[in-house]
């Protein structure tokens, strides 16, 4: 990879994930502040007021979220497994609450000096693995079957059993296993974004950002968990509990109200039919005359009105002919249209320009325009006026 390509890669990553970078920085600061403040919470206040409240909040979001998923799952392949995960996690939290405050039994393996500490860590990682259900189903729909779930968890169980019976400390291996799964999911984010950009022109459907935010929360949750593992102070569970509540509440809300791009696509690929060798001219003429890109929900399947091809082949044609994916190809039309409007109708508000050209919001339009021209819309208008004068 050349220095120029490397620079372009980092620039693309910045444009694609700049809000997620700031989100990660903000949340990291909040977690660090939470750890610091937790050391000043009186032990009895934490034990008998704050900790029970955090348990109750987590139980509430689990059962209420699971109930909402059950009512509105509508065959959604993402909502059904998350519904079961919420019910199981909620039942687990209820059991922990009863054991701790009903039976007055403290956590087994709760400190590094406890002989069952590694076993406790293994069980904790197996339960935490359930939080990987959501990103797995988003990034690789249908991949996480009961059979594959079993084979994914099995290595963790085997490591835990070996650690218990063999005189060797496998704590680091136990801790690294969920890290490996996390890194695999991060690798799939890019593939998923590429798939979205090959099929949709709306940022609402290219929903990688909220998956990335989830993974950021998950990463910080894991880091805080391991921080507690090495520097155990009971009050530091304060941070762990509110982050658990955050990730469950955030993901449940997103799964309920965000569109699922996979569900929006045709379930089966259409067969490829013959098409005119001069397809490019016909397609560009259709785009210029009909201007379908003004529709914010314009997608790859809509091109089948001109090119009766299956989705995979159609995507390859666009990539090979224009050197970019469907999303960027459509954006070029939208941005050229926007530039004409801003020149011919300077009285138009930028919000109206964005809506007219098919952008879902002014923010999306401004970001795309800056990326495409190197200038913000307002700066571009000023530079154009100066060149004209």
């Amino acid at each position: 990879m050349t220095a120029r390509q490397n620079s372009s890669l980092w620039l693309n990553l910045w444009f694609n994930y700049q809000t997620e970078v700031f989100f990660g920085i903000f949340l990291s600061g909040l977690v660090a502040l939470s750890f610091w403040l937790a050391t000043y919470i009186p032990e009895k206040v934490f034990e008998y007021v704050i900790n029970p409240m955090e348990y109750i909040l987590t139980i509430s979001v689990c059962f209420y979220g699971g109930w909402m998923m059950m009512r509105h799952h509508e065959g959604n392949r993402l909502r059904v497994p998350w519904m079961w995960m919420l019910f199981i996690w909620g039942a687990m939290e209820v059991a922990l609450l009863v054991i701790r405050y009903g039976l007055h039994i403290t956590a087994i393996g709760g400190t590094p000096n406890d002989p069952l500490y590694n076993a406790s860590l293994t069980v904790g990682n197996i339960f935490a693995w359930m939080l990987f259900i959501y990103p797995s189903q988003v990034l690789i729909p249908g991949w996480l079957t009961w059979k594959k779930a079993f084979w994914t968890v099995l290595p963790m169980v085997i490591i835990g059993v070996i650690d218990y019976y063999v005189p060797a400390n496998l704590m680091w291996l136990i801790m690294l296993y969920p890290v490996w799964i996390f890194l695999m999911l991060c690798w799939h984010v890019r593939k998923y974004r590429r798939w979205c950009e090959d099929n949709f022109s709306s940022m609402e459907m290219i929903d990688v950002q909220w998956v990335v935010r989830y993974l950021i929360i998950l990463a910080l949750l894991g880091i805080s968990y391991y921080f507690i593992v090495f520097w155990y102070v009971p009050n530091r569970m304060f941070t762990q509990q509110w982050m658990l509540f955050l990730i469950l509440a955030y993901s449940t809300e997103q799964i309920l109200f965000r569109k699922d791009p996979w569900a929006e696509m045709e379930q089966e690929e259409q067969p490829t039919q013959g098409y005119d060798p001069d397809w490019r001219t016909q397609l560009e003429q259709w785009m210029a005359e009909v201007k379908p890109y003004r529709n914010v929900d314009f997608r790859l399947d809509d091109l089948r009105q001109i090119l009766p091809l299956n989705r995979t082949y159609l995507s390859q044609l666009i990539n090979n002919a224009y050197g970019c994916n469907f999303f960027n190809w459509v954006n070029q039309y939208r941005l050229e249209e926007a530039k004409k409007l801003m020149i011919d109708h300077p009285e138009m508000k930028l919000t109206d320009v964005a809506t007219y050209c098919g952008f879902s919001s002014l923010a999306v339009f401004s970001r795309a325009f800056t990326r495409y021209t190197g200038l913000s819309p307002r700066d571009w208008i000023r530079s154009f006026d100066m060149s004209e004068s």
Side-chain angles (χ1 to χ4, degrees):
M1 183 180 288
T2 65
R4 186 174 180 178
Q5 288 174 323
N6 195 42
S7 175
S8 177
L9 174 64
W10 283 110
L11 190 62
N12 284 334
L13 286 173
W14 170 249
F15 273 109
N16 289 337
Y17 302 111
Q18 53 185 301
T19 56
E20 283 58 57
V21 171
F22 290 121
F23 174 80
I25 293 170
F26 170 76
L27 194 59
S28 298
L30 198 61
V31 169
L33 179 64
S34 176
F35 270 122
W36 177 72
L37 288 175
T39 58
Y40 291 94
I41 300 173
E43 189 173 340
K44 287 188 177 180
V45 173
F46 174 77
E47 182 67 21
Y48 296 106
V49 179
I50 295 176
N51 203 39
M53 285 177 60
E54 288 184 320
Y55 270 116
I56 291 167
L57 282 172
T58 304
I59 290 166
S60 299
V61 77
C62 283
F63 284 111
Y64 179 72
W67 175 71
M68 289 291 289
M69 294 289 172
M70 187 168 60
R71 286 190 62 196
H72 303 287
H73 67 80
E74 297 162 357
N76 187 299
R77 68 180 101 190
L78 182 56
R79 291 176 187 171
V80 173
W82 191 254
M83 173 190 74
W84 285 111
M85 200 287 301
L86 287 174
F87 283 141
I88 293 169
W89 201 287
M92 179 181 69
E93 291 287 322
V94 169
L96 289 172
L97 186 64
V98 170
I99 289 170
R100 185 161 185 171
Y101 294 99
L103 303 178
H104 304 287
I105 299 174
T106 56
I108 299 172
T111 64
N113 297 324
D114 195 313
L116 294 176
Y117 188 62
N118 283 7
S120 175
L121 187 63
T122 304
V123 173
N125 282 344
I126 291 172
F127 277 116
W129 173 85
M130 291 192 291
L131 296 174
F132 290 107
I133 290 174
Y134 160 63
S136 297
Q137 287 295 92
V138 169
L139 301 174
I140 325 163
W143 176 83
L144 196 62
T145 61
W146 287 107
K147 184 178 179 181
K148 287 178 179 174
F150 170 77
W151 287 111
T152 307
V153 173
L154 186 61
M156 176 64 71
V157 177
I158 293 172
I159 293 169
V161 171
I162 293 173
D163 178 81
Y164 183 77
Y165 287 104
V166 175
N169 192 341
L170 301 180
M171 185 179 74
W172 284 103
L173 194 57
I174 294 169
M175 293 173 65
L176 286 174
Y177 184 76
V179 174
W180 174 76
I181 298 177
F182 176 82
L183 292 175
M184 289 293 291
L185 290 173
C186 290
W187 180 74
H188 277 286
V189 167
R190 267 190 89 189
K191 290 180 64 179
Y192 175 66
R193 185 183 182 97
R194 264 194 231 116
W195 178 85
C196 287
E197 290 184 346
D198 281 341
N199 288 279
F200 299 101
S201 67
S202 168
M203 285 303 299
E204 185 181 11
M205 301 307 297
I206 304 173
D207 63 343
V208 177
Q209 281 73 16
W210 62 292
V211 181
V212 172
R213 289 191 197 103
Y214 181 93
L215 290 174
I216 289 170
I217 301 171
L218 191 60
L220 289 173
L221 183 65
I223 291 168
S224 68
Y225 175 61
Y226 288 153
F227 184 77
I228 294 166
V229 165
F230 289 106
W231 295 280
Y232 181 78
V233 176
N235 284 19
R236 284 181 177 151
M237 287 301 295
F238 165 73
T239 304
Q240 191 72 7
Q241 285 290 83
W242 73 253
M243 286 195 68
L244 179 60
F245 170 80
L246 173 65
I247 198 169
L248 292 173
Y250 175 77
S251 51
T252 300
E253 187 270 338
Q254 294 294 326
I255 293 169
L256 279 170
F257 298 107
R258 283 271 182 173
K259 289 184 178 179
D260 178 11
W262 299 95
E264 295 291 322
M265 301 301 293
E266 296 177 5
Q267 294 301 311
E268 295 181 2
E269 289 273 29
Q270 298 294 325
T272 296
Q273 302 173 19
Y275 64 97
D276 194 317
D278 195 24
W279 65 270
R280 188 167 172 173
T281 302
Q282 293 182 27
L283 180 60
E284 290 173 0
Q285 185 177 355
W286 180 66
M287 292 289 284
E289 294 176 357
V290 180
K291 300 187 176 182
Y293 53 83
R294 288 180 179 171
N295 177 9
V296 70
D297 293 322
F298 185 50
R299 63 189 62 183
L300 184 72
D301 280 340
D302 296 332
L303 297 187
R304 300 193 75 253
Q305 298 176 45
I306 302 300
L307 300 174
L309 307 172
N310 71 43
R311 193 164 56 242
T312 302
Y313 193 60
L314 193 53
S315 177
Q316 290 174 355
L317 277 183
I318 296 296
N319 276 270
N320 293 334
Y322 297 100
C324 61
N325 55 44
F326 175 74
F327 171 75
N328 288 321
W329 177 67
V330 173
N331 263 3
Q332 289 174 18
Y333 278 94
R334 288 173 172 168
L335 292 166
E336 288 300 323
E337 181 86 7
K339 287 161 77 173
K340 289 177 185 175
L341 277 176
M342 288 190 291
I343 294 169
D344 298 338
H345 302 279
E347 75 283 356
M348 279 187 75
K349 294 180 180 178
L350 288 179
T351 304
D352 296 332
V353 171
T355 303
Y356 183 84
C357 296
F359 291 97
S360 57
S361 69
L362 177 59
V364 171
F365 166 61
S366 297
R367 191 160 58 245
F369 196 95
T370 303
R371 184 176 183 177
Y372 185 64
T373 65
L375 296 171
S376 70
R378 286 187 175 83
D379 288 341
W380 185 86
I381 293 171
R382 290 192 197 101
S383 66
F384 179 81
D385 290 340
M386 289 175 64
S387 64
E388 285 294 302
S389 59

